[in-house]
Amino acid sequence: MLNRLYQRAIQLAGSRYATVWLACIAFAEASFFPIPPDVLLCPMILAKRHKAWFYATICTIFSVFGGLLGWIIGAFLLQYLAMPIVHFYHAERQLLNLQEKFNQYGVWIILIKGLTPIPYKFVTIASGAAHFSIMPFMIASLVTRGIRFFAEAALLYKFGPPIQDFIEKRMIWVATAFCILLLGGILAFKYI
C-alpha cells in the first residue's frame, strides 16, 4: 500500500499542477494545515531534479506568505480561528508558553523552531498572538524556511538517485521515520 502511495506521489509530482499544489500546501501548512509541504516537495524534486531550486523557492515564498496568514490569525483572530487549531492539538498551555518566549527571545524562536519538525503554524500563530513585530517575523521566516527547503533541495539534487533508491527499498522504514518526526514535532511542542 505504501509503495502505491509513493508511486502516486511521484506521478503527481510530475504533473503540470504539481507546482500549484506545492504552493497551496506550503501556504496552508504555515497557518493551519497539518501536513508539511515536504511530502510533496521531495517527490517533486526526485521526479524533476533540474527544478530543485525552483521548487524550493516556491515552497519558501508560499510558506512565508502562509506564515503571514498565521501571524494575522494569531494577532487578530485568536479566539475565532487560532484557538480551534490550538485546541485540536491540545496545545493551549504551549501557545501561552511560546507567546512568553517571544517576549524573551524574539526572532530566535522563529529561526530555531522554523527548522525543526515542530509544526510551523504554532510559531506563526504564537508570534501574531504575542504581537511580535511583523518585519523581523517575515525576515526570520524567510531565512528559516529558506534554509530548510533549500537544504532539502540541495540534498535531493546532489544525491537524488541513491536517496530515491533508499526510499523505494525501505518504504516502511522511511514512512515510519517520517511519522515519528511529525508526531515528535507535535509532542515536542507540547512540552516546550
Side-chain angles (χ1 to χ4, degrees), residues 36-54:
D38 315 70
V39 171
L40 191 54
L41 176 64
C42 293
M44 286 176 69
I45 293 172
L46 290 173
K48 296 181 181 178
R49 281 184 30 222
H50 64 282
K51 290 189 161 192
W53 313 121
F54 173 72

Side-chain angles (χ1 to χ4, degrees), residues 77-162:
L77 302 169
L78 186 65
Q79 291 304 317
Y80 305 107
L81 293 178
M83 290 315 288
I85 295 168
V86 171
H87 182 69
F88 174 80
Y89 289 99
H90 305 288
E92 292 86 351
R93 182 179 57 82
Q94 292 77 15
L95 179 66
L96 291 172
N97 288 342
L98 196 52
Q99 284 175 279
E100 290 173 14
K101 287 183 181 184
F102 268 105
N103 294 329
Q104 191 175 15
Y105 300 109
V107 77
W108 289 105
I109 296 286
I110 300 164
L111 290 171
I112 293 168
K113 295 199 180 296
L115 294 172
T116 67
I118 292 172
Y120 194 57
K121 70 192 88 349
F122 293 137
V123 175
T124 65
I125 291 170
S127 64
H131 294 282
F132 187 73
S133 180
I134 194 75
M135 281 313 282
F137 167 77
M138 294 294 287
I139 292 167
S141 292
L142 184 64
V143 169
T144 195
R145 299 311 267 179
I147 289 171
R148 176 177 168 172
F149 298 131
F150 276 89
E152 284 179 33
L155 288 170
L156 292 170
Y157 181 81
K158 176 130 174 97
F159 303 109

Side-chain angles (χ1 to χ4, degrees), residues 20-30 33 35-40 62:
V20 173
W21 281 110
L22 179 64
C24 290
I25 290 171
F27 180 87
E29 184 271 338
F33 193 62
I35 299 173
D38 315 70
V39 171
L40 191 54
F62 282 89

Side-chain angles (χ1 to χ4, degrees), residues 1-22:
M1 180 173 150
L2 284 175
N3 284 331
R4 278 187 284 147
L5 285 172
Y6 173 75
Q7 291 305 320
R8 182 69 180 139
I10 290 289
Q11 286 174 340
L12 288 173
S15 78
R16 65 182 184 163
Y17 298 111
T19 305
V20 173
W21 281 110
L22 179 64

Side-chain angles (χ1 to χ4, degrees), residues 176-192:
T176 301
F178 176 78
C179 289
I180 288 170
L181 275 174
L182 186 62
L183 292 173
I186 292 169
L187 290 174
F189 178 75
K190 288 184 73 64
Y191 298 105
I192 59 171

